[in-house]
Amino acid sequence: QAAADPMSSSDAPEDGPRETSSVSQNISDADAFKILLEMKMKKRQKKPNLPSTVTELDTEDGSKVYVVGTAHFSDSSKKDVVKTIQEVQPDVVVVELCQYRVSMLKMDEKTLLKEAKEINLEKLQQAIKQNGVMSGLMQMLLLKVSAHITEQLGMAPGGEFREAFKEASKVPFCKFHLGDRPIPVTFKRAIAALSFWQKVKLAWGLCFLSDPISKDDVEKCKQKDLLEQMMAEMIGEFPDLHRTIVSERDIYLTYMLKQAAKQIELPRASETEPRKYTPAVVVGVVGMGHVPGIEKNWNSDLNIQEIMSVPPPSASSKIFKFVIKATIFGLMGYGCYRIGQRTVQFILAMPAAQSYLQKLTEIRSSH
């Protein structure tokens, strides 16, 4: 930082040696880049001491990818991420997030805990407006699962991603990439894979999830992410759903890691300096449940176009959508009717109304 942002003469003490400030001012951009790059390379360990949760993968051009398998609600996973980034000093950090969930990187733990616990009608309406009825409901049901774990553990999800974001910012010339498939695509493809009754059964299971979870349970799940393990238990009888939520995202994450691991251009101080390329060092931060799939797909030629398409809604989806809308409007209509009925009864029970009705009765009797 001292090399990149030299102290100006106005900031120097008046009675201090002027040689120091003049030397710092004379450091060129090229020298500054060189110093930062040397600092990074010195910190980068040839044989890094890595946690047991890290899987090392290589590319054909010599790049290295260190995949940190994490549990999304684990303090131990946060430490694993920090240690890995410090040891390998990566050029790119890739995390299992998409643009729709990137906000969790900027929120503090307290705000996230509050957000996770407050699942209300407004959020449901927003999710439906953004993703459609079926995908919106699926998103809210999965948020309920996450909120249930949050409430049980008192720990907000995504801590390992926030640590990765902070630590990556400390590494010179390190880029930060979002590596997960957009969540609306995943939900829409998941919904399309289910029949009408499968959707009802899944929604029922998610709505009544209430099993207690301990921190020990989380650490036991270091070999398989807790949230995805809970989902796997619930969707075990729906192989198509497992394919869209887990297997397809394994392919997408692998593709993004391989893209990040392409040879990188070394930083240049000026446009006239010749371009130089070097193998990349990448750290991937993903749920432990995705690591076997990433290893399996690593040496395959991947095409993500197919898993990015959203199929048209099936007949069962249209029926389910109609039933949901009819139920919502029916409940709203019944609510208005009950409120109206009670309001009328309340008004008629008032003394003034009773007196007025009595006078009307007397007038009618006299005629």
Side-chain angles (χ1 to χ4, degrees):
Q1 288 177 346
D5 301 300
M7 183 173 61
S8 65
S9 57
S10 61
D11 293 329
E14 293 182 4
D15 55 350
R18 297 192 178 185
E19 290 82 7
T20 304
S21 61
S22 62
V23 168
S24 64
Q25 282 182 332
N26 290 331
I27 292 179
S28 65
D29 288 342
D31 289 334
F33 277 110
K34 188 177 179 181
I35 290 169
L36 287 171
L37 199 57
E38 285 177 356
M39 285 170 57
K40 178 175 178 174
M41 293 307 173
K42 281 181 181 178
K43 285 185 179 180
R44 184 179 285 178
Q45 303 295 322
K46 289 184 179 179
K47 291 184 178 179
N49 180 22
L50 299 172
S52 60
T53 52
V54 175
T55 300
E56 186 177 337
L57 300 168
D58 298 304
T59 66
E60 292 178 358
D61 59 14
S63 295
K64 287 192 174 292
V65 178
Y66 300 92
V67 183
V68 189
T70 66
H72 291 318
F73 292 83
S74 168
D75 283 327
S76 177
S77 286
K78 295 181 192 178
K79 294 173 184 176
D80 289 352
V81 169
V82 171
K83 183 174 178 59
T84 303
I85 293 175
Q86 288 177 348
E87 287 283 320
V88 305
Q89 293 290 295
D91 303 300
V92 186
V93 171
V94 181
V95 295
E96 186 198 328
L97 285 177
C98 68
Q99 64 266 36
Y100 293 90
R101 294 181 292 155
V102 73
S103 59
M104 72 163 56
L105 294 175
K106 298 177 182 178
M107 292 185 187
D108 57 42
E109 199 85 359
K110 187 177 179 181
T111 305
L112 278 165
L113 279 169
K114 185 180 178 183
E115 286 283 320
K117 292 176 182 179
E118 291 180 356
I119 298 178
N120 50 37
L121 185 60
E122 185 180 346
K123 286 187 179 179
L124 176 60
Q125 289 173 337
Q126 187 178 356
I128 290 174
K129 185 178 179 181
Q130 187 179 41
N131 303 314
V133 174
M134 288 304 305
S135 296
L137 286 172
M138 174 67 83
Q139 182 176 346
M140 293 309 294
L141 289 171
L142 288 175
L143 277 175
K144 185 180 184 297
V145 176
S146 181
H148 170 63
I149 302 173
T150 298
E151 189 175 1
Q152 292 282 321
L153 300 181
M155 183 189 298
E160 72 274 33
F161 302 138
R162 288 189 290 282
E163 289 298 325
F165 183 65
K166 290 176 191 174
E167 209 60 37
S169 68
K170 301 175 186 177
V171 179
F173 313 116
C174 182
K175 296 178 181 178
F176 190 87
H177 289 184
L178 304 176
D180 202 2
R181 182 172 66 178
I183 202 165
V185 175
T186 297
F187 284 145
K188 286 173 183 176
R189 286 184 63 84
I191 291 299
L194 297 176
S195 68
F196 173 76
W197 291 113
Q198 285 176 329
K199 290 168 188 171
V200 172
K201 192 170 183 180
L202 178 65
W204 182 267
L206 288 169
C207 283
F208 291 94
L209 178 73
S210 59
D211 294 336
I213 303 158
S214 69
K215 290 189 178 183
D216 289 338
D217 292 331
V218 180
E219 295 308 323
K220 287 175 185 176
C221 294
K222 280 294 283 288
Q223 299 307 311
K224 193 169 185 182
D225 179 65
L226 177 64
L227 182 57
E228 285 171 9
Q229 180 173 341
M230 293 177 70
M231 288 302 301
E233 290 173 359
M234 298 179 68
I235 65 180
E237 57 190 288
F238 310 136
D240 290 334
L241 189 60
H242 185 274
R243 172 177 53 80
T244 55
I245 290 180
V246 181
S247 301
E248 288 184 359
R249 287 172 59 227
D250 289 346
I251 294 171
Y252 191 92
L253 286 163
T254 306
Y255 178 84
M256 295 302 287
L257 284 168
K258 290 178 84 169
Q259 290 297 307
K262 289 183 176 180
Q263 282 198 333
I264 61 168
E265 182 183 344
L266 290 172
R268 293 186 299 160
S270 66
E271 293 295 327
T272 57
E273 193 177 330
R275 296 176 185 273
K276 294 179 182 178
Y277 295 87
T278 185
V281 174
V282 178
V283 170
V285 183
V286 304
M288 183 59 79
H290 290 293
V291 176
I294 291 170
E295 286 187 276
K296 177 185 173 183
N297 292 305
W298 189 250
N299 293 316
S300 304
D301 291 328
L302 303 175
N303 184 353
I304 62 169
Q305 294 304 316
E306 184 182 345
I307 62 171
M308 287 300 290
S309 63
V310 178
S314 62
S316 64
S317 292
K318 292 177 181 178
I319 293 169
F320 194 71
K321 185 176 179 179
F322 174 78
V323 170
I324 290 292
K325 283 187 175 180
T327 303
I328 291 172
F329 283 117
L331 288 170
M332 288 174 64
Y334 179 73
C336 292
Y337 165 74
R338 291 292 295 170
I339 291 170
Q341 190 181 41
R342 289 182 180 180
T343 303
V344 170
Q345 289 175 349
F346 176 74
I347 292 171
L348 291 177
M350 293 176 67
Q354 290 287 337
S355 176
Y356 183 71
L357 288 171
Q358 187 176 359
K359 287 180 181 178
L360 282 176
T361 306
E362 290 173 358
I363 291 170
R364 281 187 177 181
S365 300
S366 63
H367 286 293

